[in-house]
Each structure stands twice: as structure tokens, then as C-alpha cells.
Amino acid sequence: MGTAASAPVEKPQHITVEFDVSCSIPVEEIVAISEQAGRAIMEIYNSADHGVEMKGDESPLTKADTESNRIICEGLQRVSPHVPIISEENKTLPHSIRKNYQYCWVVDPLDGTKEFIKRNGEFTVMIGLVQGSTAVLGVVHVPVSGKTYYAVAGKGAYVRDAAGSTQQVRAKEFAVSDPGLVLVGSTSHANPTNNTAMKDFVELFDSPQFSSYGSSLKLLMVAEGTAHVYPRLAPTMEWDSAAADIIVKEAGDVVLQAGRITGKGELLEDWKDVLMKELPMEYNKEDLLNPCFVVFGKRRT
């Protein structure tokens, strides 16, 4: 007995399935990954051969960058296989793919490679988690001192020393008009003596003290109150700030945009005008180049 032929139907369009994924990641696991990477970095740091080579953008790459990146990426894939990773040492996917990320890791496996090569100890391991365009978790490990700073949005900022003692990180309150404020800048980049924008910024303060340090240590200094302000009016990438950004915020400080800049250091906007808008930093942008930014401790109004 035959069957009746079905009438043809139009092909369904745009059928989707919607679901939410709930996941918790213990911060201690991310801390452990950063510390494992730090140990690998120190082993290479204390060796005779750092394996230095130059990348296409003329920035240095060492065996420590590569090994730290391997450890971090393998660790993050183990604890959160569903969360993509943006790392300085990985190939960057196009924004057409990245724009759909709900969460992503933003990693600098060795922040301060130039300082590492100079053997001045001023380098860090940075692992940040971004939700949408906002940093919501940050872990920054300092291999030479053994300190690890970490924070989660809404849950405070903390630092653990090499002996395992943990303290909460809190901002130091000050007024921008106070004399003798401590400003920090980059060891390997522009300082007030050779950068017009930086010179103009520093001149806004009353008898400031200016010190130079490498890597994300400058953001951490503002977070824990050993410095009051960190102006960065020179190029950086998102992985240079994401992890420390949330630590700074949870300590009671702010990281504010100060105008777009090119990779060669050409200012595209007036930093003063943009800074007045008090705009927070954003991550996983189409262009992973950061704008200029200024880190302020807890300002009295």
C-alpha cells in the first residue's frame, strides 16, 4: 500500500537553540597557574641563556615568554575549556569571531620582557578574565618577590606574599591638590623629561615625586597605596592592563581612559578632554591597542 506524498515545505530559516552555561572557577586555581608560570620564568631568568629573539613588531621574545604562555594556556584550558584565551603570544583571532565572546581570558605571560632581559626584576605574570568588555577577575604574580595580587569584581583585592600570608589591598586616599604626591611611570618608555604630554600631566601637580618602574608593577603600586597616580600616555595593549585593572578597582582606585593613541605613540585625541569624561577601560575591542590611561588612587572630593 503506498503512502501519500507530503506537500513540500519551505526550508526553515534561523532556527537556533538557546542555552546558558553556569560555571565557577576558584581564584586559587588561577593563582596556582600564575605561580607555576612564575617558577618557570625564574628558572630561565637565573640561567645563562634567555633565548632572546625579535618579533615582527621589533619587541623582544624570550624562552620565558613562550614557556610561561604554554603553562598558562594549558592551565586555563583545563579549568575553563569553554572560555577562549587572548594572549600576547597567541595568534589573535579576528574581531568578527571575538565580538561574540561572553567571557575571555586576557593574558600577558611575561609582562615586562625588556625588564626581564635587563635582569632588574620588574616583570609580572598577568591573567585577566573579561566579561563582555569589562575585567572581572585579575591575577598578577610577581616572580622575583613571590607576591601574587588578585581580585574578583565585588569581592575585594588581595595580595599573598611568598610565605602564604594574605592581606586585603586598599587604596590610599588623597586629594589631587595635595603637595608631594607620588607619580610612577615606565622604566622602558616615556618619562616627563622626554615626553611632552607626560611633562604637561606632571606639571598639574604640586611638587610631585616621580619614580620609574617596569611592567604592571606601577598599577599595583597605586592599588596598594605606595603611589598615588600612574599616567600612561604611551602605547600599551589590552593584556598589559586587564588583570591589574580589576585589582586597582577593587582596591578603591580607578583606571580612566585618556585618549586614543597609535602604536607608534602618536596621540589621536586630547588626553585632557578624554580624561575629564572619566571613562573606564574596555577590553576585547576590535583593536586590542589600549587608549592612553591614567590610574588614580582613591581621590577625595
Side-chain angles (χ1 to χ4, degrees), residues 133-232:
S133 61
T134 304
V136 294
L137 177 155
V139 174
V140 180
H141 177 62
V142 187
V144 169
S145 70
K147 287 185 176 182
T148 306
Y149 298 77
Y150 59 93
V152 173
K155 298 184 178 181
Y158 302 87
V159 58
R160 186 171 72 189
D161 64 22
S165 176
T166 301
Q167 295 182 332
Q168 188 163 5
V169 177
R170 293 186 175 90
K172 180 181 290 185
E173 189 171 307
F174 68 98
V176 174
S177 59
D178 288 346
L181 295 179
V182 177
L183 277 61
V184 287
S186 174
T187 297
S188 296
H189 298 89
N191 60 61
T193 62
N194 61 16
N195 181 283
T196 301
M198 279 288 287
K199 183 177 180 181
D200 291 344
F201 183 88
V202 172
E203 288 178 349
L204 296 174
F205 297 87
D206 181 2
S207 305
Q209 305 174 48
F210 192 91
S211 299
S212 296
Y213 294 89
S215 72
S216 59
L217 291 174
K218 301 177 289 294
L219 289 99
L220 301 178
M221 291 175 67
V222 178
E224 61 185 357
T226 54
H228 299 95
V229 185
Y230 165 37
R232 181 65 186 210

Side-chain angles (χ1 to χ4, degrees), residues 50-55 58-63 65-66 113 117:
H50 289 172
V52 182
E53 57 184 84
M54 301 306 290
K55 295 189 286 188
E58 295 303 311
S59 62
L61 177 73
T62 70
K63 290 191 295 186
D65 294 88
T66 304
T113 301
I117 294 169

Side-chain angles (χ1 to χ4, degrees), residues 26 32 35 58 74 89-90 128 156 171 173 184 199 220 279 286 297:
E35 292 175 343
E58 295 303 311
E74 289 180 359
E89 307 309 338
N90 292 351
E173 189 171 307
V184 287
K199 183 177 180 181
L220 301 178
L279 301 173
E286 182 172 1

